[in-house]
């Protein structure tokens, strides 16, 4: 999966994108902070990316979706190598994540349209929310960390289940989502979400 773009709007869920991103970031930053340097070339459940490439992808996502929140043009060409810019990349990730929350919490961020395709801003906001949830699970899974949405984070799963259901046909035709995989017996709501994006919820890192 590359960029994930979609949303179910705010129907039945009064929490705004900024509020939900705050919840997602609170759980994302500790996962990134715990990534060891020795894992950067490790495979992830997102076959397109190893750990380093996925971290750089998320930097790009956070930077460009700040621009989209402000109704500015974005550029999703080849991402810069933020990890190679210095050993403080984990701290910089946290700073960029907080900027993202602020951008989507600003008045008017979810109103109107934004992006080259003139999509509804609320839809665009849910794209980054999905990235900051599912790709963080990718990183956690690749490095032996636990990432299980609980408590208020369950609101993310509820919101994103509608997002994925809405986007799936188009996303699969574009290669953004893989084909849905069978859900494991007794799958949680989050595992069903992962399976719908083409991930095996029980994925394990290859044994070297």
């Amino acid at each position: 999966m590359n960029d994930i773009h979609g949303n179910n709007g705010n129907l039945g869920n009064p929490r705004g994108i900024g509020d939900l991103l705050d919840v997602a970031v609170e759980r994302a930053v500790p996962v990134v902070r715990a990534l060891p340097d020795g894992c950067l070339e490790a495979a992830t459940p997102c076959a397109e990316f190893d750990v380093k490439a996925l971290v750089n992808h998320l930097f790009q996502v956070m930077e460009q979706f700040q621009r989209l929140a402000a109704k500015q043009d974005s550029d999703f060409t080849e991402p810069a190598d933020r990890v190679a810019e210095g050993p403080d990349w984990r701290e910089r990730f946290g700073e960029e994540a907080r900027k993202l929350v602020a951008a989507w919490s600003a008045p008017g961020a979810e109103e109107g349209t934004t992006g080259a395709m003139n999509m509804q801003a609320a839809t665009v906001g849910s794209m980054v929310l999905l990235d900051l949830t599912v790709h963080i699970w990718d990183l956690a899974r690749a490095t032996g960390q636990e990432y299980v949405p609980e408590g208020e984070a369950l609101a993310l799963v509820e919101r994103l289940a509608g997002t994925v259901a809405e986007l799936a046909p188009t996303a699969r035709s574009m290669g953004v989502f893989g084909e849905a995989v069978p859900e494991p017996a007794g799958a949680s709501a989050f595992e069903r979400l992962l399976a719908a994006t083409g991930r095996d919820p029980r994925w394990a890192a290859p044994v070297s």
Side-chain angles (χ1 to χ4, degrees):
M1 183 178 64
N2 196 338
D3 295 345
I4 311 174
H5 305 310
N7 171 25
N8 198 29
N10 284 322
L11 296 176
N13 190 341
R15 302 182 73 169
I17 293 296
D19 186 20
L20 290 171
L21 276 172
D22 190 43
V23 174
V25 164
E26 182 180 344
R27 284 151 180 80
V29 169
V31 171
V32 173
R33 188 180 299 129
L35 295 175
D37 288 334
C39 79
L40 294 177
E41 296 182 0
T44 76
C46 187
E48 183 177 351
F49 299 112
D50 62 15
V51 168
K52 180 182 178 183
L54 188 49
V55 171
N56 281 327
H57 171 68
L58 285 172
F59 265 108
Q60 180 189 46
V61 165
M62 293 188 297
E63 292 163 359
Q64 297 306 317
F65 275 84
Q66 290 174 53
R67 297 182 61 82
L68 290 169
K71 311 300 191 290
Q72 298 173 355
D73 292 337
S74 59
D75 180 3
F76 285 97
T77 54
E78 190 69 20
D81 190 348
R82 299 300 185 200
V83 174
E85 290 177 357
D88 63 340
W89 56 269
R90 298 169 186 82
E91 290 74 21
R92 285 186 280 113
F93 185 96
E95 293 167 1
E96 208 64 50
R98 287 186 284 274
K99 291 178 185 177
L100 179 71
V101 173
W104 282 95
S105 299
E110 291 189 56
E111 298 173 4
T113 61
T114 190
M117 297 176 67
N118 289 319
M119 298 175 68
Q120 291 295 314
T123 298
V124 173
S126 277
M127 298 175 186
V128 70
L129 181 62
L130 190 54
D131 264 17
L132 260 292
T133 302
V134 175
H135 279 323
I136 292 298
W137 177 85
D138 290 331
L139 291 173
R141 197 72 178 176
T143 56
Q145 301 184 58
E146 287 295 322
Y147 183 85
V148 181
E150 296 175 328
E152 62 177 344
L154 292 174
L156 299 175
V157 178
E158 180 182 356
R159 174 71 170 254
L160 295 177
T163 297
V164 172
E166 178 183 346
L167 281 186
T170 300
R172 290 195 181 105
S173 70
M174 297 174 63
V176 175
F177 289 173
E179 290 298 320
V181 303
E183 300 170 3
S188 67
F190 185 54
E191 288 175 326
R192 292 194 297 272
L193 174 69
L194 294 170
T197 68
R199 286 165 166 75
D200 177 359
R202 307 291 166 85
W203 183 93
V207 177
S208 58

